[in-house]
Amino acid sequence: MSERVVVVTGASSGIGRAAAKAFAARGDRLVLAARSEGDLHQVAAECRGTPLIVPTDVTKRADLEALRDAAVAEFGHIDVWADTAAVMAYGRFEDVPAEVFDRVITTDLLGSANVARVALRQFRDQERGTLILCSSLLAHITAPYMSAYITAKWGLRGLARTLAQEARETPGIKVCTVAPGSVDTPVYTSAANYAGFVGRPPPPVDRPERVAAAILRQADKPGREISVGPANRFIEFGFTALPRVYDVLVPPMMRRFGLSREPVSRHPGNVFGPAKRVEGGPGRPTWRQVTAVATGGVAAAAVLSQAVRRLSSS
């Protein structure tokens, strides 16, 4: 067995679940945390060894203090803390209830800040430790119908970069991130929805195990950020270098590939509390379909962009 002690917040599903199983396969001693105790027990049963289970809501600072205390009482220290807890909401900004928008921000940004505050205090006491925050491709780009999640992830990107800079003053402490693109997890079907159709990850879609492998690499040899997704850099380039083209393309692409054709009534999903986990989801569009639409869209957007430039210069 490894002497390394790893805390995973958001361990009940998706990327956190895959990361927990990957750490366990390495022989690390695990502390699993999430809101749903029942789901945590299911994950623990899939892990090698006997993980410590601590039901935790990252929006509650007292829960995180109790989590830290339980981990230290059981194992004496914490070497790695991986935070993957997140919720999502679909819908145009004005259609998403304010309380839902605020709760997504509270969970995905302030919840990670709460985790960082507790973890870094523990690491400072130990004079060592690695904090891994789960960022997103959507911390580098924008897309319609996901304003709350994107706002939170852009904020988290700034927080993580700042914490990494401050951690340079304490050589034994590292802060790093993993930024996945589309991943096949229940987060899309569990999300709050005010868009009228069930959400789905647009292609290309990665397995959560690939993201978990990147989290393990950061735990073994911390770096600044690992981007996980074959199209991530291409999409980021389009967002940065061709903003007019990107803004023309992304709304229809999101409607076609980020939302399924399966209708759904308005609901808050798992934003305010645990909900039944739904594995899989609506059929994924093929990469060939996306390429065909994107090729036609790029041509149309290029013509539009050229026209705009001509008008601007006239």
Side-chain angles (χ1 to χ4, degrees), residues 10-225:
S12 62
S13 180
I15 292 170
R17 180 184 185 184
K21 293 166 67 175
F23 278 118
R26 292 274 297 270
D28 294 322
R29 295 178 289 177
L30 286 180
V31 183
L32 305 181
R35 295 177 300 179
S36 173
E37 184 173 1
D39 286 342
L40 287 175
H41 281 286
Q42 291 181 25
V43 175
E46 299 169 354
C47 291
R48 174 185 174 186
T50 307
L52 176 65
I53 293 172
V54 185
T56 305
D57 185 335
V58 298
T59 68
K60 300 177 180 177
R61 297 188 184 97
D63 278 16
L64 288 164
E65 296 286 355
L67 171 60
R68 188 270 310 270
D69 292 345
V72 173
E74 181 74 13
F75 298 116
H77 62 280
I78 300 170
D79 297 293
V80 177
W81 194 316
D83 178 44
T84 66
V87 295
M88 286 189 354
Y90 284 101
R92 292 175 61 87
F93 171 73
E94 63 265 31
D95 294 335
V96 176
E99 60 271 19
V100 173
F101 185 96
D102 291 353
R103 186 67 173 189
V104 172
I105 302 296
T106 299
T107 301
D108 296 359
L109 175 55
L110 301 184
S112 292
N114 291 338
V115 167
R117 190 174 291 110
V118 173
L120 291 174
R121 188 182 307 123
Q122 177 63 30
F123 294 162
R124 195 169 297 110
D125 291 344
Q126 303 170 172
E127 299 183 344
R128 61 184 174 85
T130 299
L131 173 63
I132 305 169
L133 299 171
C134 193
S135 181
S136 173
L137 170 63
L138 292 175
H140 298 261
I141 66 168
T142 60
Y145 315 120
M146 301 185 72
S147 57
Y149 185 81
I150 290 169
T151 299
K153 290 301 183 180
W154 276 70
L156 178 60
R157 180 185 172 197
L159 174 64
R161 185 71 177 268
T162 302
L163 295 179
Q165 292 167 346
E166 293 176 354
R168 295 176 68 87
E169 300 171 1
T170 51
I173 298 175
K174 305 295 181 183
V175 178
C176 49
T177 58
V178 171
S182 292
V183 184
D184 190 7
T185 78
V187 70
Y188 306 92
T189 49
S190 299
N193 198 301
Y194 302 89
F197 297 97
V198 176
R200 62 183 177 184
V205 181
D206 265 325
R207 291 165 51 93
E209 288 77 15
R210 283 200 69 225
V211 186
I215 290 173
L216 260 66
R217 290 201 300 275
Q218 292 286 46
D220 293 340
K221 190 176 180 180
R224 192 165 73 183
E225 180 176 86

Side-chain angles (χ1 to χ4, degrees), residues 282-300:
R284 310 291 192 238
T286 66
W287 185 235
R288 181 177 296 178
Q289 289 174 315
V290 176
T291 302
V293 173
T295 301
V298 166

